[in-house]
Amino acid sequence: MTGAPAIAQADDGGVVSLDYGLASTMLALGSVPRAIASLRNWPEWVVEPAMPSGVVDIGTTAEINLEVLTSLRPSLILSTPFLAAMDEKLSRIASVETFTVYAENGEALGRSYAETLRLGAMIGRRQEAEAFLARADATFDRLRNRIKSLSAPPVAVINFIDQRHARIYGGPGLYGGAMNRIGLDNAWKGEASYWGFQTIGLEQLAELGEQAHLVVVSPLLPSDVLTRLSESPLWTSLPFVRRQKISVVPGVLMFGMVQEALRFSTLMVDVLETAAR
């Protein structure tokens, strides 16, 4: 996004994040975490923005390296409700603050806005948070106008699990919220958890309707899944396959926050514009 704050190359105040979305939001506010969990998997799951050099990997959320974490002497640890079992141990090292984006009775994108403001205030970057969200709104509005000019078809977004199953996205999750924000009709009208997806058999894709455009979010698992499916009578009978209305986009953190919603929305509009040419 243009006009984003410059990102430092060192930690800002010893903040440690156990969540990718919170760490990405820190970067959006011009702050760099001292350490994060699962740093080595960041390029695969978050992809963009890149994590600056010097950030320490403290292990996975399933097995935090408490010795390394203690040695960093953090001032603040950012966590989520799904890591609450670790709070007692972590609170002996530093203050722990829990941020809730994915939960019942709410939408991930709206909660991401609120938690971005709370995080900004907590790390002394409230003004940066407000400016970032203002830029986000302006970007979403521009993308919405591009969707209007396209007369875009309904879109279904999936990840393959294997040759017979997929996660399909919608409901209150981040992808679904981003699609709503830019005025993109979700072809999947079925249920979705508060995480924003439902696991389905590929035969259920027949419910999407004749005009649906399928968008597959990388990584493709297995990597040759589309090639293998080309030999499946079920797959080749689906309307979006027959009409060659399938697009593949790079990976976007599906359990992220505003920054990920922006990236997802931009990729969706770009790929639909390409398909319309």
Side-chain angles (χ1 to χ4, degrees):
M1 293 170 57
T2 58
I7 292 184
Q9 293 300 311
D11 64 286
D12 259 342
V15 178
V16 170
S17 178
L18 306 184
D19 177 75
Y20 281 161
L22 291 167
S24 175
T25 301
M26 285 187 66
L27 297 182
L29 306 188
S31 178
V32 178
R34 180 71 182 90
I36 67 170
S38 299
L39 174 61
R40 68 178 181 175
N41 297 124
W42 179 275
E44 178 183 3
W45 290 105
V46 182
V47 186
E48 294 178 0
M51 183 59 68
S53 60
V55 176
V56 176
D57 192 335
I58 55 170
T60 67
T61 53
E63 194 172 356
I64 296 291
N65 190 322
L66 296 177
E67 185 177 348
V68 170
L69 180 59
T70 301
S71 72
L72 296 174
R73 297 183 179 180
S75 58
L76 178 65
I77 299 171
L78 309 180
S79 188
T80 72
F82 308 99
L83 304 174
M86 295 190 291
D87 284 358
E88 183 178 352
K89 287 183 179 179
L90 295 175
S91 63
R92 297 172 189 162
I93 299 171
S95 297
V96 178
E97 286 292 339
T98 298
F99 292 77
T100 302
V101 173
Y102 296 89
E104 297 282 2
N105 303 316
E107 295 186 347
L109 185 56
R111 282 193 169 123
S112 293
Y113 268 69
E115 295 293 57
T116 294
L117 290 173
R118 188 162 78 91
L119 176 59
M122 199 168 291
I123 64 174
R125 301 212 168 209
R126 174 77 188 205
Q127 290 184 336
E128 288 84 350
E130 291 172 349
F132 166 64
L133 295 180
R135 292 194 302 274
D137 278 333
T139 300
F140 282 132
D141 288 343
R142 287 194 295 271
L143 293 171
R144 190 179 186 91
N145 288 333
R146 288 167 63 186
I147 287 292
K148 282 182 182 178
S149 68
L150 274 179
S151 298
V155 173
V157 180
I158 70 168
N159 288 121
F160 286 109
I161 296 174
D162 54 35
Q163 280 184 251
R164 299 172 62 184
H165 302 90
R167 283 180 173 179
I168 192 162
Y169 291 88
L174 195 71
Y175 287 3
M179 292 171 74
N180 287 337
R181 180 64 178 82
I182 63 174
L184 189 56
D185 184 22
N186 194 333
W188 175 249
K189 306 303 182 184
E191 295 183 358
S193 69
Y194 60 74
W195 289 108
F197 70 88
Q198 178 80 292
T199 300
I200 62 169
L202 293 189
E203 69 278 2
Q204 291 176 262
L205 294 175
E207 303 171 15
L208 296 179
E210 289 291 326
Q211 300 305 311
H213 187 115
L214 186 75
V215 175
V216 183
V217 181
S218 297
L220 297 180
L221 298 173
S223 60
D224 61 348
V225 64
L226 287 174
T227 300
R228 292 186 185 183
L229 284 172
S230 66
E231 301 172 358
S232 163
L234 168 64
W235 180 257
T236 55
S237 70
L238 294 170
F240 52 80
V241 178
R242 287 189 279 104
R243 295 170 51 245
Q244 297 185 332
K245 294 298 182 181
I246 303 176
S247 302
V248 178
V249 299
V252 181
L253 182 65
M254 66 284 292
F255 308 134
M257 293 176 63
V258 178
Q259 184 135 262
E260 287 66 46
L262 286 167
R263 182 162 178 268
F264 171 78
S265 298
T266 301
L267 288 170
M268 293 293 285
V269 176
D270 287 348
V271 81
L272 290 172
E273 286 179 339
T274 298
R277 290 173 189 154

